[in-house]
Amino acid sequence: MSNTTKRIVVLGVGSELHGDDSVGVVVARRLQGKSLPENVEVVVGHTGGLNLLFDMEGADWAIVVDAVDFGGRPGEICVFEAEDADLVKVSRVASLHHVSLADVLELGRETGITPRVTVVGIQPGQLGFGQDLSAEVAQRVEAAVQAVVDLVAGAQEEPAAKRIEYSEDGTTR
Amino acid sequence: MADRKISIFVEEVCRVEGHGNIVLNATDGKIEELRLEITESPRLFEAFMLGRRWDEATHIACRICGICSIAHSTASVLAIEDAFGIEPSEQTIALRKIAYHGEMIQSHVLHFYYLAAPDFLGVPSVIPLIQSHPEEVKRALRLKRLGNDLCKLIVGRHIHPCAYLPKCMPKLPDPAAMEALHTRCLDARRDLDAAVALFSTLKLPDFDRPTECLASWDPDEYGMYRAVKIKSSNGDMTDTREYKTKIREFVVPHSHAKHAETENGAYMVGALARFKINYDQLHPKAKEVAQALGLTTDCTNPYAITVAQVVETVHSLEETIKYLEWCLGRELEWEDWDVKPRAGRGVGITEAPRGLLIHDYTFDDGGKLTNVNCIIPTNQNLNNIEHDFHALVPQIIERPDDEIRLLLEMLVRAYDPCISCATHMLKVEIKR
């Protein structure tokens, strides 16, 4: 399969009612307004739970954008392969409204439904009720958008994306 | 057992929608407290629909539930059509039914595979089943996705439909996409055969309590999409607009969700109630499955609701195939969607996956809502669940706490409660 026909899904997830948790959705909406290669589909997944699996099914590569607590400073961005990460899981499925992304990714990987998954994680500042992003996270939305654009651009040239980490000032390291 | 104190508190019963607690306190075999507390905050949909226009009503009402939003949309459009004197075309009804049964499939599959099956297989959730039953998990995901995609094909999204309106469908499905889904539905028969084989090996807890059942009734088909009347398991029929003569809602101190009763007391709605009341109209393939699973119309074991859901999934799949073939066999036409609102009342009654669902609207001359009443299946089942508790606990009170706890949780889960809809929740608290 040539790289140009490789189907890439960019999936922005999170709740728009929980502060910085919405950053994945905000980034996905920005990306929907950009001109991206034809093989890239941007999906706003909200809090789709199990249904997020089906958004990724059939793609060759999924880029998931979400608020991720990786112990960074609010607004810090970390790009990593889901496979490499030790994601904290909620194994007690309290309800289908509460299936965590980690559970979804595990279910997808173990059943072979999901393709390779790269996570663009943004460290949240506050996750309380409210529809606004914190100032720290809001000012990093463009950097997160750029992180996805860079990943996608890289995929047009070579099949495997590199691990990229973004420091607070937006530079890669 | 001398001086045995039982104190069980299941906080936020898991694998149900919403938040509820089970409380059981007993001393020396005597029950002191036993209840299902519904602690989720009230959501007040009926109040904030007031003053909204008729064409906003369905879009607001469907947000009551993220699992059965198409059932809420169905009740909503039926209520609007009843109020405005609209008869939708055969084409519109056929298209709606594809989405309606698609939702029934995805909701039932979700419950019997993801929420209920782990109890029977002795694991806490579906996640460990990936290792022990990988093919089952993949099958469950395929079926759920099929249900989602059927909804998306017809109404634009798998939940919270954008294209589900009174009078006609504002979107016509692409024939090639319908053809592809038709093929997937035919393939899904094999997946359902395997699901039936799995469920035929599972043993239900031994418990029986006869209770009145209510379900939608339609002279022409298995009562689901639209109630022509409400039918009771005792044979009584109630006109849809007169539902309040049969169903009385009331509040109890320990629940943010209302309870309900008929003149005979607590009653059951949902898959088992429908099966018992409308069995004659069930699809022959579903009847075969019921026989294979040992489900009969004299069943009084609420744990068998899950089995009835398996049976109904077969019915809904066959109905979906039928309506897809109907649509594929003709050129679908754009229809006139001019709706003339008028003052008056309309009642729409359908079956959500969890049971009888009523939307009752009154409009003013301008087509704005002046009164809204929604009766949700889980509200109707809560009273019945508590009656089940009181019948079940004396039979199991000598068993270890963990076993009592599990049986109570499984009982609540069997009803597939959607507490978010009903308030809307669930925890279990046992004190001995």
Side-chain angles (χ1 to χ4, degrees):
Chain A
M1 187 186 298
S2 78
N3 291 328
T4 49
T5 57
K6 184 169 164 173
R7 199 177 148 237
I8 302 171
V9 169
V10 178
L11 182 60
V13 299
S15 165
E16 290 184 278
L17 301 176
H18 283 280
D20 290 339
D21 191 38
S22 69
V23 66
V25 171
V26 173
V27 169
R29 291 224 173 94
R30 289 274 176 101
L31 285 163
Q32 282 177 329
K34 279 194 176 294
S35 167
L36 293 170
E38 277 182 9
N39 59 329
V40 180
E41 184 190 6
V42 180
V43 179
V44 178
H46 297 284
T47 49
L50 214 47
N51 295 314
L52 298 174
L53 269 186
F54 308 135
D55 291 324
M56 294 184 272
E57 189 174 5
D60 298 296
W61 184 23
I63 300 171
V64 174
V65 188
D66 194 9
V68 175
D69 181 7
F70 53 89
R73 294 174 63 173
E76 200 174 333
I77 295 167
C78 181
V79 179
F80 56 94
E81 294 299 301
E83 208 175 0
D84 298 341
D86 183 16
L87 301 172
V88 179
K89 287 185 298 166
V90 182
S91 58
R92 176 180 180 262
V93 180
S95 113
L96 287 153
H97 287 160
H98 300 139
V99 178
S100 72
L101 182 62
D103 279 334
V104 168
L105 292 177
E106 180 177 356
L107 202 54
R109 185 172 63 237
E110 296 293 329
T111 55
I113 285 177
T114 45
R116 168 188 165 205
V117 177
T118 302
V119 179
V120 175
I122 300 106
Q123 178 73 40
Q126 68 85 20
L127 297 170
F129 279 113
Q131 290 185 276
D132 296 326
L133 292 175
S134 65
E136 295 90 336
V137 169
Q139 66 188 13
R140 302 285 294 149
V141 165
E142 270 312 314
V145 168
Q146 193 56 46
V148 176
V149 170
D150 290 349
L151 282 171
V152 167
Q156 310 304 317
E157 293 155 15
E158 53 179 295
K162 311 180 287 275
R163 180 188 168 94
I164 311 165
E165 287 183 23
Y166 286 76
S167 64
E168 265 179 283
D169 59 6
T171 57
T172 56
R173 62 188 183 207
Chain B
M1 199 183 296
D3 294 335
R4 183 181 175 204
K5 282 181 117 35
I6 303 176
S7 178
I8 297 178
F9 175 59
V10 181
E11 186 174 6
E12 297 198 12
V13 176
C14 65
R15 282 185 277 125
V16 301
E17 288 306 330
H19 305 272
N21 311 325
I22 298 171
V23 179
L24 167 60
N25 292 315
T27 303
D28 295 341
K30 188 169 175 300
I31 297 167
E32 289 153 348
E33 282 185 288
L34 176 56
R35 61 179 178 268
L36 178 58
E37 294 177 341
I38 303 300
T39 55
E40 181 147 335
S41 310
R43 295 172 65 215
L44 312 172
F45 267 82
E46 290 151 324
F48 63 69
M49 285 171 74
L50 294 177
R52 307 307 291 248
R53 294 191 317 266
W54 66 272
D55 55 344
E56 296 175 301
T58 306
H59 295 294
I60 300 172
C62 81
R63 259 69 181 186
I64 293 173
C65 187
I67 304 287
C68 59
S69 61
I70 290 181
H72 279 284
S73 298
T74 301
S76 182
V77 298
L78 291 174
I80 296 166
E81 287 168 353
D82 185 39
F84 298 168
I86 296 168
E87 285 289 337
S89 70
E90 192 179 6
Q91 172 183 302
T92 290
I93 292 172
L95 288 168
R96 282 181 189 172
K97 283 181 177 173
I98 295 169
Y100 175 89
H101 286 291
E103 177 175 272
M104 194 64 76
I105 292 167
Q106 70 87 10
S107 177
H108 278 357
V109 166
L110 202 62
H111 183 253
F112 64 68
Y113 263 125
Y114 295 86
L115 304 182
D119 284 328
F120 294 102
L121 299 169
V123 291
S125 81
V126 72
I127 301 294
L129 295 181
I130 303 170
Q131 303 299 333
S132 61
H133 296 73
E135 288 310 312
E136 299 296 343
V137 173
K138 283 185 203 170
R139 192 170 288 127
L141 290 169
R142 261 200 306 275
L143 286 168
K144 169 135 175 63
R145 179 164 194 182
L146 174 67
N148 284 3
D149 289 348
L150 286 164
C151 298
K152 196 171 172 184
L153 170 77
I154 303 297
V155 297
R157 282 202 287 236
H158 68 269
I159 53 166
H160 304 324
C162 353
Y164 198 152
L165 303 179
K167 195 170 183 182
C168 71
M169 300 304 281
K171 166 183 182 290
L172 295 180
D174 170 41
M178 270 198 292
E179 193 69 63
L181 272 167
H182 179 255
T183 304
R184 282 171 60 193
C185 284
L186 297 180
D187 291 344
R189 284 175 171 159
R190 280 198 302 278
D191 281 339
L192 271 180
D193 286 346
V196 171
L198 172 72
F199 276 81
S200 66
T201 65
L202 306 182
K203 185 165 171 9
L204 297 179
D206 195 16
F207 173 62
D208 287 286
R209 188 182 71 83
T211 188
E212 186 177 8
C213 296
L214 294 186
S216 295
W217 176 82
D218 183 325
D220 299 325
E221 62 179 12
Y222 185 82
M224 274 189 157
Y225 161 75
R226 177 182 182 220
V228 173
K229 286 183 187 292
I230 298 170
K231 188 174 179 185
S232 162
S233 51
N234 66 22
D236 286 354
M237 294 278 201
T238 307
D239 287 340
T240 53
R241 286 189 177 210
E242 303 301 321
Y243 68 88
K244 284 182 181 171
T245 63
K246 180 70 182 174
I247 296 169
R248 186 183 79 88
E249 287 192 292
F250 59 98
V251 292
V252 292
H254 59 276
S255 169
H256 287 178
K258 285 181 189 168
H259 281 210
E261 63 181 7
T262 70
E263 71 280 15
N264 305 310
Y267 63 95
M268 175 195 280
V269 297
L272 183 59
R274 289 189 290 261
F275 174 84
K276 286 163 68 97
I277 290 170
N278 296 315
Y279 174 82
D280 288 347
Q281 294 150 306
L282 199 60
H283 192 278
K285 278 185 198 282
K287 285 183 177 170
E288 282 172 28
V289 166
Q291 193 176 10
L293 295 172
L295 187 68
T296 54
T297 54
D298 58 359
C299 173
T300 51
N301 182 350
Y303 291 102
I305 296 170
T306 306
V307 180
Q309 290 181 326
V310 178
V311 171
E312 283 197 336
T313 306
V314 175
H315 176 84
S316 279
L317 181 66
E318 294 305 321
E319 289 290 290
T320 305
I321 292 169
K322 180 175 87 181
Y323 288 109
L324 278 171
E325 288 174 354
W326 188 92
C327 291
L328 284 165
R330 69 206 65 231
E331 187 94 10
L332 297 178
E333 291 173 358
W334 291 103
E335 298 179 275
D336 171 29
W337 61 359
D338 184 30
V339 172
K340 291 187 175 54
R342 67 184 191 198
R345 175 178 175 232
V347 175
I349 304 185
T350 185
E351 289 286 326
R354 288 146 197 82
L356 194 73
L357 173 64
I358 302 171
H359 282 214
D360 178 355
Y361 300 163
T362 305
F363 294 97
D364 65 14
D365 288 334
K368 285 190 176 166
L369 284 159
T370 58
N371 191 44
V372 177
N373 187 32
C374 298
I375 301 187
I376 311 295
T378 296
N379 290 114
Q380 299 171 77
N381 278 330
L382 290 172
N383 192 16
N384 206 59
I385 294 171
E386 288 196 340
H387 278 73
D388 285 345
F389 277 7
H390 283 276
L392 174 66
V393 168
Q395 296 176 21
I396 60 172
I397 196 122
E398 298 301 329
R399 299 194 196 175
D401 281 16
D402 283 348
E403 206 174 312
I404 297 174
R405 180 183 289 111
L406 178 63
L407 284 168
L408 290 175
E409 285 193 56
M410 283 174 69
L411 179 63
V412 173
R413 280 198 281 274
Y415 282 84
D416 191 9
C418 189
I419 294 169
S420 303
C421 275
T423 58
H424 308 270
M425 153 145 179
L426 201 58
K427 297 178 189 181
V428 182
E429 182 180 5
I430 310 184
K431 290 185 189 163
R432 293 215 193 217

